[in-house]
Amino acid sequence: MRIGVFGGTFNPIHFGHLRVAEEVRETFSLDKIIFIPSGVPPLKKQDIIDAIHRLKMTELAVNSNPFFEVSDIEVKEKKPSYTLNTINILKKLYQKDILFFIMGIDAFFELKSWYSYEVLLRMVDIIVMSRPGYDDITKSELIDYKVSENCYRIKNSDRNVFSISVSPFWISSTLLREMLRKGKSIRYFLPDTVLKYIEENELYR
Ligand code: ATP
């Protein structure tokens, strides 16, 4: 199987996440995408609600797509979520499968601040999605050379990074949290089930 691993804070998950994941799944012929909400994120410290809520919202958001699933591996770890550890666990679970780690270009540009990013870059191929307002992948210093159209070799690694131009969504979780704090409607930015969960649990007030 070809499996996409999509890590994020998902604070909250929104249609930007869902739609770009669907485009990646189709373009790269992935058999499934595993959404992995972070437990205690090592980098994003502000404004993060409990991991259990973020996990539940992610489950509600993906459950109508048979190709999407959610893993609680990071949430159940009570220590900071390092992608490297997560990939190690998944590689053991899916020994016969091909894994791709999926991230937006904004996250890719920040990769150098991630725990042991050089090791991570030697462990798994990466799919990088475009995002409005960010440069393209060729501006990254992590890229060594172009292998073929939309495929680049990572420096000091025999792994590749594949870039995909996805539909542009200006939406972000930060924007949704700000709108909620101001008492504005965020309807149609995320699934109704997730919105209902936010309202019922009085989140992001
Ligand atoms: P925040 O605003 O809190 O930083 P976010 O909307 O960027 O959140 P994350 O949970 O941090 O969402 O994102 C998880 C992954 O999804 C990241 O790799 C991010 O780059 C990617 N992503 C999020 N929104 C988009 C989008 N609109 N287009 C492309 N990629 C996205």
Side-chain angles (χ1 to χ4, degrees):
M1 277 201 299
R2 292 164 63 80
I3 302 173
V5 178
F6 190 14
T9 326
F10 303 124
N11 184 36
I13 191 162
H14 50 70
F15 281 136
H17 295 124
L18 294 166
R19 177 62 209 171
V20 295
E22 180 67 358
E23 292 182 20
V24 166
R25 182 190 71 74
E26 195 172 37
T27 304
F28 291 91
S29 305
L30 302 181
D31 297 288
K32 67 173 171 181
I33 292 186
I34 308 174
F35 286 66
I36 308 195
S38 58
V40 184
L43 297 174
K44 288 186 176 180
K45 291 216 173 69
Q46 273 187 333
D47 215 8
I48 300 226
I49 64 160
D50 199 288
I52 297 299
H53 286 311
R54 292 182 288 105
L55 175 70
K56 186 70 199 158
M57 289 188 285
T58 309
E59 285 168 352
L60 288 169
V62 310
N63 68 10
S64 62
N65 187 329
F67 298 105
F68 287 177
E69 61 182 58
V70 183
S71 166
D72 64 357
I73 38 178
E74 291 195 0
V75 168
K76 65 182 184 211
E77 294 265 320
K78 292 291 169 227
K79 49 187 198 240
S81 310
Y82 293 121
T83 302
L84 182 64
N85 300 343
T86 306
I87 295 292
N88 264 320
I89 295 169
L90 291 175
K91 281 189 111 174
K92 284 184 194 126
L93 278 175
Y94 295 101
Q95 292 187 14
K96 295 205 175 96
D97 303 295
I98 305 170
L99 298 184
F100 297 88
F101 188 70
I102 303 168
M103 63 171 82
I105 185 75
D106 54 312
F108 190 72
F109 281 134
E110 279 182 8
L111 202 64
K112 280 184 99 174
S113 60
W114 290 23
Y115 169 72
S116 287
Y117 75 96
E118 282 161 311
V119 182
L120 176 67
L121 287 172
R122 285 196 286 271
M123 280 180 61
V124 67
D125 284 336
I126 296 186
I127 296 173
V128 173
M129 309 173 291
S130 59
R131 194 168 180 177
Y134 291 89
D135 265 331
D136 68 272
I137 195 157
T138 58
K139 306 288 186 314
S140 166
E141 46 192 316
L142 299 176
I143 298 296
D144 197 355
Y145 59 90
K146 185 172 177 167
V147 176
S148 58
E149 195 59 29
N150 300 326
C151 175
Y152 302 86
R153 184 60 48 90
I154 296 279
K155 272 185 195 156
N156 306 318
S157 167
D158 54 7
R159 294 284 177 179
N160 291 325
V161 50
F162 300 90
S163 72
I164 170 172
S165 179
V166 290
S167 301
F169 286 92
W170 282 97
I171 181 173
S172 69
S173 302
T174 305
L175 174 74
L176 299 189
R177 292 193 301 273
E178 279 168 13
M179 291 177 73
L180 283 166
R181 234 177 279 117
K182 288 179 189 156
K184 289 188 167 178
S185 163
I186 59 163
R187 199 167 180 196
Y188 307 125
F189 277 140
L190 74 184
D192 284 345
T193 47
V194 178
L195 180 57
K196 188 162 174 264
Y197 185 90
I198 291 173
E199 286 169 354
E200 282 175 359
N201 291 279
E202 301 182 358
L203 304 176
Y204 306 109
R205 293 277 172 92

